[in-house]
Amino acid sequence: MRRYSRITGTGSYLPPRRLTNADLVAELAAQGVETSDEWIVERTGIRARHFAAPGVYSSDLGAEAAKNALAAAGVDAKDIDLIIVATSTPDMVFPSTAAILQHKLGIAGCPVFDVQAVCSGFVYALTVADAMIQTGSASKALVIGAEVFSRILDFKDRTTCVLFGDGAGAVVLEASDTPGLLSSDLHADGKHVGILCVPGHVSGGKVLGDPLLKMDGQAVFKLAVGVLEDAARAALAKAGKTEADIDWLVPHQANIRIMQSTAKRLKLPMSKVVVTVDQHGNTSAASIPLALDSAVRAGQVKKGETLMLEGVGGGFTWGAVLLTL
Ligand code: UT7
């Protein structure tokens, strides 16, 4: 009998400090940076985001999300045999955030590693975990997206600092006789490294280069819209499905206009799109599992429904995963 992987529980965690646009606009104005609630809402759909307190790391947010996912799945942490963390804001250069998180869950022994594909990180990590479950390398995996993007924002650059937030989302992915993950389609094109990056690096005991996020928003926007449609269509084709089979689109939450455009291209009404960007901002690799868990807990997305998850981000990376919940 073929072995599949299936999501059996979802969880998420947001740090308690919530800043509305008005809060952020006031903080930025005090530093001489001019922006407005109107601009942010109109261009992005974002109304609020959460920022982690000093000393709180991706592993802390990810561990809380993981505990919530384990509880939802009814799985004991000690039975987890694989942890993959998607993050671009790791706690340290090394070891992996997954290793630190594993210890925070009070477990040891299972393989753990990070996936670095920026905002596409969660669909990449889910694809890797699915492959490891299908081949018998794992049976009960934790797949987590966790980020503290507030640490890499340049609060003097209004074109980027209003867009991002902190948070984490997680799923428990278990071996199953019936299909959960149906197909996946992943891509990257390294020639676009410069349009979205944090160019700094550690060398000789110093940070060399700028350790803050740089983005050419318009270039990212144009690329994103096209590739997201292509990846979604490729994932559908691989599973022998069509747009009509999609119950919910759960996209990376970067900008409401990108989501509207992708939905239109896939002939999906916005009522079938899970939207949390208004409340979370762009939480990079955490945004898809955060959106998924929010929709599951709100009773919006239900077991048995077919979901298209898709992400796009720095690298340039992009991809989609089609699954039955
Ligand atoms: O997660 C990874 C994926 N990232 C993304 O998906 C981001 C994709 N890109 C975007 O979401 C959009 O390009 C942005 C939201 C970043 C920008 O929206 P836009 O419609 O492309 O605006 P723009 O860059 O063309 O800027 C329009 C104007 C400019 O002023 P001028 O030159 O027309 O006078 C900017 O200086 O808006 C100005 N502006 C702002 N004004 C007030 C830029 N940022 C701000 C701001 N507040 N925060």
Side-chain angles (χ1 to χ4, degrees):
M1 190 186 290
R2 196 176 150 190
R3 189 177 154 101
Y4 299 95
S5 77
R6 188 159 201 144
I7 291 176
T8 55
T10 66
S12 60
Y13 181 77
L14 290 161
R17 184 169 175 236
R18 179 176 183 268
L19 283 93
T20 62
N21 286 348
D23 298 330
L24 186 62
V25 167
E27 281 196 12
L28 292 172
Q31 298 164 44
V33 176
E34 196 188 318
T35 182
S36 66
D37 174 52
E38 293 73 29
W39 191 95
I40 301 168
V41 172
E42 191 192 311
R43 302 284 175 144
T44 71
I46 298 167
R47 294 178 186 276
R49 77 285 292 143
H50 291 246
F51 284 166
V56 172
Y57 298 98
S58 290
S59 65
D60 296 305
L61 306 183
E64 292 308 313
K67 285 178 200 164
N68 292 333
L70 288 166
V75 169
D76 200 315
K78 72 174 180 350
D79 294 325
I80 288 297
D81 58 10
L82 170 68
I83 300 176
I84 306 180
V85 175
T87 187
S88 302
T89 47
D91 295 19
M92 301 180 187
V93 173
F94 71 78
S96 68
T97 300
I100 301 166
L101 187 152
Q102 181 198 42
H103 186 59
K104 285 180 179 166
L105 290 179
I107 57 175
C110 68
V112 304
F113 57 93
D114 290 358
V115 161
Q116 161 55 296
V118 201
C119 303
S120 313
F122 188 75
V123 289
Y124 267 66
L126 204 53
T127 303
V128 174
D130 171 58
M132 289 181 71
I133 287 177
Q134 281 195 50
T135 56
S137 305
S139 296
K140 285 186 200 303
L142 265 171
V143 185
I144 301 160
E147 301 280 16
V148 284
F149 256 57
S150 61
R151 305 281 156 74
I152 52 168
L153 295 177
D154 178 354
F155 286 97
K156 299 222 171 327
D157 176 6
R158 68 176 185 173
T159 68
T160 53
C161 73
V162 300
L163 305 175
F164 296 89
D166 302 340
V171 301
V172 175
L173 194 70
E174 294 191 59
S176 165
D177 295 340
T178 54
L181 259 77
L182 303 173
S183 62
S184 167
D185 188 65
L186 302 180
H187 298 275
D189 184 349
K191 78 168 170 281
H192 300 295
V193 165
I195 64 172
L196 179 50
C197 60
V198 177
H201 61 279
V202 176
S203 177
K206 294 195 184 81
V207 176
L208 299 186
D210 194 337
L212 299 176
L213 184 147
K214 313 278 165 225
M215 180 169 73
D216 177 345
Q218 287 199 2
V220 173
F221 196 106
K222 279 183 203 142
L223 274 169
V225 174
V227 297
L228 286 173
E229 180 191 5
D230 293 346
R233 290 200 182 284
L236 285 170
K238 285 180 188 175
K241 306 267 185 198
T242 70
E243 305 105 311
D245 296 308
I246 300 174
D247 293 310
W248 292 97
L249 181 65
V250 190
H252 169 47
Q253 308 283 315
N255 184 317
I256 190 70
R257 292 185 292 146
I258 296 178
M259 291 185 244
Q260 286 163 340
S261 168
T262 311
K264 197 171 166 196
R265 285 164 179 246
L266 293 173
K267 301 190 185 66
L268 293 173
M270 281 307 284
S271 57
K272 286 190 168 192
V273 183
V274 173
V275 176
T276 54
V277 70
D278 54 332
Q279 294 306 315
H280 303 161
N282 181 346
T283 57
S284 193
S287 93
I288 294 172
L290 250 170
L292 174 62
D293 184 54
S294 302
V296 167
R297 284 174 197 266
Q300 206 181 1
V301 169
K302 296 182 191 68
K303 199 168 167 48
E305 290 185 320
T306 298
L307 276 48
M308 176 67 78
L309 276 45
E310 54 168 24
V312 59
F316 208 67
T317 57
W318 66 98
V321 167
L322 187 70
L323 62 88
T324 300
L325 197 62

